[in-house]
Amino acid sequence: MTRKPILLAPLAALALGSAAPSQTPDILSPLFAADQGDARAAILVEDGRVIAKRYAPGYSDANRFISWSTAKTMTAMLVGELVSDGKLQLDAPAPVAEWRRPGDPRAKITLRQLLNMASGLRHSEVGDPVERSDTNQVLFVSGTAGMAARAINVPLEAAPGAKFEYSSLTTIILAEIVTRTLTPSRDPRVRAAAYRDFAFERLYRPAGATGAFLEFDGAGTQIGGSLIHLHLSDFVALGQVLLDGRGAGGVQVVAPDWLAFMKTPSPRKAVYGGQTWLNHFPDEAVGQPPIASMNGHLGQYVVTFRAKGRDGQEHGYVLVRLGNSREDRLHEVEVAVGKVVKAVTG
């Protein structure tokens, strides 16, 4: 799929700076209540217009915030661009040379199964103790020089497609597939530049998320499962893409059929699609509209949905909550997110 060059206004100018947070100044207050832990930023956007926006003391538009696993959905969007270009096929065996040796059962793993977190690979996202997990070892300890190699070179623990297992290493494999599709080079700088240029050309720039900063490992693989840094406005821009596939100025960024795939429940996990969560939020689920969201470690949420607003008309909403909340406080955070969704639609 080729696109003509267009002139884009950044979302910060198009929406976040175009109107003062309006008639519901307290709508975000549940996200900053005493039980919320370290909430840092939140914003609610309706049809591209800011309804409410709030930072905790010490944070502002100048800050970038870590994506954690919200990056997974961004990585899936880039995979979709290559599928649209005809360079990758959703239901073909994943193009991973290490799995193509004769008799290797991993050769049957498809791109769809990787996107649905159903590869069957033996990955452990959470260890006991926590530092024993594959994810922590690869991201922060012994695997930083070649994360994709560590993620790829594990055996199956289940038949491909047979079970759901959430795994940041799976998304690193997806980022590696993108890189190998873009360049045959093994030079880390060439690989990183190829990925970065493609990501900005096909996703971040047309979305209006030009403040995104991508991290790479020592081999030049983008750490697409967890380590991208963005301004609050960038999260909103990417949330808008998740909502309707469109970016700044209404340009189509993600093809409708790929967006539909990302939002289709996977066969093994009804609340998960293609690197995208399809969940309701606890204690407020009754009457909630269908939600597609990017969820990240320590309480990062980019929540998108369409629903009738208080005026009785249907609107598109993006709700972002960013913070540093401990695992044992995330239930309260998700309850608060649910309260904001209910306040918008109720």
Side-chain angles (χ1 to χ4, degrees):
M1 180 186 298
T2 59
R3 298 182 177 86
K4 296 180 180 179
I6 56 172
L7 296 176
L8 298 171
L11 185 70
L14 182 68
L16 300 192
S18 64
S22 61
Q23 67 272 19
T24 51
D26 295 325
I27 197 168
L28 298 177
S29 59
L31 302 178
F32 292 86
D35 64 354
Q36 290 304 291
D38 189 1
R40 295 179 174 179
I43 190 168
L44 175 65
V45 174
E46 177 188 80
D47 298 333
R49 183 176 64 89
V50 177
I51 297 299
K53 174 182 170 185
R54 182 171 171 180
Y55 286 106
Y59 297 94
S60 71
D61 288 348
N63 290 101
R64 283 190 178 96
F65 300 86
I66 191 168
S67 66
W68 291 121
S69 289
T70 64
K72 292 179 169 64
T73 310
M74 304 172 209
T75 302
M77 291 174 179
L78 292 175
V79 172
E81 292 300 286
L82 293 173
V83 171
S84 294
D85 289 348
K87 295 179 178 179
L88 292 174
Q89 289 77 46
L90 187 57
D91 289 306
V96 178
E98 294 90 331
W99 299 342
R100 297 299 179 86
R101 300 181 183 95
D104 192 329
R106 298 174 300 178
K108 296 181 180 180
I109 300 171
T110 66
L111 193 63
R112 183 190 297 271
Q113 289 163 347
L114 288 168
L115 288 155
N116 285 161
M117 295 292 189
S119 69
L121 292 169
R122 192 179 67 195
H123 290 154
S124 63
E125 183 74 2
V126 179
D128 185 15
V130 65
E131 62 270 14
R132 288 289 188 90
S133 75
D134 293 343
T135 297
N136 285 325
Q137 284 292 314
V138 169
L139 289 181
F140 307 117
V141 187
S142 59
T144 57
M147 297 183 186
R150 287 282 293 272
I152 288 168
N153 293 322
V154 297
L156 292 176
E157 65 177 8
K163 63 176 286 192
F164 174 89
E165 183 164 359
Y166 184 84
S167 165
S168 294
L169 299 191
T170 295
T171 314
I172 289 174
I173 295 172
L174 290 169
E176 177 70 4
I177 288 172
V178 171
T179 304
R180 293 182 183 185
T181 304
L182 294 173
T183 176
S185 177
R186 295 188 178 183
D187 185 315
R189 293 186 179 183
V190 173
R191 285 163 45 85
Y195 191 104
R196 186 185 299 108
D197 290 348
F198 179 76
F200 272 86
E201 177 188 352
R202 300 295 289 270
L203 177 58
Y204 294 109
R205 194 175 297 117
T210 54
F213 179 85
L214 283 62
E215 286 199 48
F216 295 82
D217 73 356
T221 301
Q222 206 281 306
I223 310 171
S226 53
L227 293 179
I228 301 173
H229 305 264
L230 309 104
H231 298 293
L232 181 60
S233 62
D234 299 323
F235 282 101
V236 174
L238 292 160
Q240 191 66 42
V241 173
L242 181 59
L243 177 67
D244 60 14
R246 297 186 181 275
V251 65
Q252 192 76 40
V253 179
V254 173
D257 58 346
W258 188 256
L259 193 64
F261 158 71
M262 290 175 63
K263 296 181 181 182
T264 298
S266 68
R268 299 300 176 186
K269 190 77 169 180
V271 296
Y272 201 79
Q275 301 284 295
T276 303
W277 288 97
L278 309 174
N279 50 325
H280 286 289
F281 287 87
D283 296 351
E284 301 291 340
V286 176
Q288 274 189 15
I291 287 171
S293 64
M294 312 181 197
N295 298 358
H297 182 52
L298 300 176
Q300 322 314 313
Y301 297 98
V302 181
V303 179
T304 72
F305 57 97
R306 290 194 172 277
K308 286 185 178 180
R310 293 179 178 272
D311 61 2
Q313 302 299 312
E314 183 174 284
H315 300 282
Y317 295 94
V318 178
L319 170 63
V320 181
R321 186 275 185 190
L322 306 173
N324 187 37
S325 301
R326 298 194 316 260
E327 189 73 24
D328 61 357
R329 305 190 79 164
L330 289 183
H331 176 77
E332 287 77 11
V333 173
E334 293 188 351
V335 169
V337 170
K339 287 178 179 177
V340 176
V341 172
K342 186 174 182 179
V344 170
T345 60

